[in-house]
């Protein structure tokens, strides 16, 4: 199985900050990488696919980069609604696997 | 707009069975692969199973293989997850998730989830 490791596990930031979350795959996955946002008590929401493509309706302050084993999710200017938990996921092969999550909290 | 509405969750004793359903609308259900993903209380996301648009391909996580069965009824726009020999570690919110294409691509839409609690 492909292991996905996110860092950091938690992060405190302020509105307006630029933040970056890292995701590393245990083997190369090309750009078969997605990012999801989950707020407490809600279902996850799809943000990014193919490492850098935004899902429809996702604000442009979100961006993704990477290929192979190393990926990043960047939020350019944090908004109050962005405080949530973020997960990466590989869809290069089955079983599909997720990172453990990064909880983004308000400083 | 795409809607995925799960149902069938509840409290069930260890060793018993339960069937989850997911009613889909707002897209051509019969053209897309569908997944189940679960999340134990306070934990991360775990992929459970996928079924192709025409039911010819089904793949399961090792943790549920041989106990869970994914199926679909394209005439009813409904996805199912038949769960048997349930264990305490199967306690989770179960999400129905739409694939972008037939199978083996990324997720685009999620349902709101249904909670399954396995407890005596």
């Amino acid at each position: 199985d492909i292991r996905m490791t996110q860092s950091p596990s938690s992060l405190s930031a302020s509105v307006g900050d630029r933040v970056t979350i890292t995701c590393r795959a245990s083997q190369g996955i090309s750009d078969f990488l997605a990012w999801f946002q989950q707020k407490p008590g809600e279902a996850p929401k799809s943000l990014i696919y193919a490492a850098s493509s935004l899902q429809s309706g996702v604000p442009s302050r979100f961006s993704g980069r990477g290929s192979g084993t190393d990926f990043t999710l960047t939020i350019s200017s944090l908004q109050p609604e962005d405080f949530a938990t973020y997960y990466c996921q590989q869809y290069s092969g089955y079983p599909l696997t997720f990172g453990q999550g990064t909880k983004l909290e308000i400083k | 707009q795409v809607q995925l509405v799960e149902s069938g969750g509840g409290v069930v004793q260890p060793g018993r069975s339960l069937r989850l359903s997911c009613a889909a609308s707002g897209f051509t259900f019969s053209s897309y692969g569908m997944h189940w993903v679960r999340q134990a209380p306070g934990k991360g996301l775990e992929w459970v199973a996928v079924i192709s648009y025409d039911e010819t391909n089904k793949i399961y996580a090792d943790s549920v293989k041989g106990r869970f069965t994914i199926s679909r009824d394209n005439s009813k726009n409904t996805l199912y997850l038949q769960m048997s020999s349930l264990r305490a570690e199967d306690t989770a919110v179960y999400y129905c998730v739409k694939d972008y294409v037939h199978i083996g691509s990324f997720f685009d839409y999620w349902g709101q989830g249904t909670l399954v609690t396995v407890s005596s």
Side-chain angles (χ1 to χ4, degrees):
Chain A
D1 298 3
I2 300 172
R3 180 176 176 83
M4 306 301 292
T5 304
Q6 288 180 234
S7 61
S9 295
S10 63
L11 175 61
S12 294
S14 302
V15 172
D17 284 353
R18 177 185 179 91
V19 299
T20 296
I21 299 169
T22 297
C23 177
R24 175 165 289 176
S26 62
Q27 64 189 71
I29 59 170
S30 185
D31 65 349
F32 297 112
L33 191 282
W35 289 96
F36 305 96
Q37 176 193 66
Q38 186 177 34
K39 298 178 182 179
E42 297 184 6
K45 173 186 174 183
S46 299
L47 292 179
I48 287 173
Y49 63 95
S52 60
S53 297
L54 292 186
Q55 291 275 4
S56 176
V58 173
S60 59
R61 62 181 180 273
F62 290 91
S63 64
R65 295 189 65 177
S67 183
T69 60
D70 294 315
F71 302 87
T72 58
L73 171 69
T74 298
I75 309 173
S76 60
S77 178
L78 276 172
Q79 298 302 300
E81 61 269 27
D82 299 336
F83 292 94
T85 298
Y86 292 84
Y87 294 93
C88 64
Q89 178 230 354
Q90 66 80 20
Y91 53 99
S92 173
Y94 286 95
L96 306 182
T97 48
F98 293 87
Q100 80 279 15
T102 295
K103 187 173 184 179
L104 179 54
E105 299 174 304
I106 300 174
K107 184 182 287 184
Chain B
Q1 73 280 21
V2 172
Q3 282 200 306
L4 300 169
V5 180
E6 301 93 336
S7 61
V11 180
V12 60
Q13 293 180 328
R16 304 298 292 263
S17 298
L18 197 66
R19 188 178 82 159
L20 305 183
S21 300
C22 170
S25 61
F27 64 103
T28 305
F29 180 71
S30 59
S31 295
Y32 294 92
M34 297 293 297
H35 303 257
W36 288 99
V37 174
R38 69 183 180 183
Q39 186 171 37
K43 302 298 184 182
L45 300 168
E46 179 188 16
W47 173 80
V48 173
V50 62
I51 185 169
S52 60
Y53 70 104
D54 60 358
E55 225 175 345
T56 56
N57 287 289
K58 303 177 185 181
I59 306 172
Y60 299 91
D62 284 347
S63 58
V64 307
K65 199 174 297 182
R67 300 187 300 121
F68 289 12
T69 301
I70 190 171
S71 63
R72 63 193 297 161
D73 186 335
N74 287 342
S75 68
K76 295 182 178 178
N77 290 344
T78 303
L79 175 72
Y80 302 101
L81 186 67
Q82 179 69 47
M83 304 184 294
S84 61
S85 302
L86 281 162
R87 307 166 180 166
E89 54 264 37
D90 296 318
T91 294
V93 174
Y94 285 75
Y95 295 103
C96 165
V97 188
K98 176 184 169 294
D99 197 289
Y100 184 69
V101 290
H102 307 307
I103 191 171
S105 184
F106 53 88
F107 302 161
D108 51 6
Y109 293 96
W110 297 66
Q112 87 290 348
T114 188
L115 176 62
V116 173
T117 302
V118 183
S119 173
S120 55

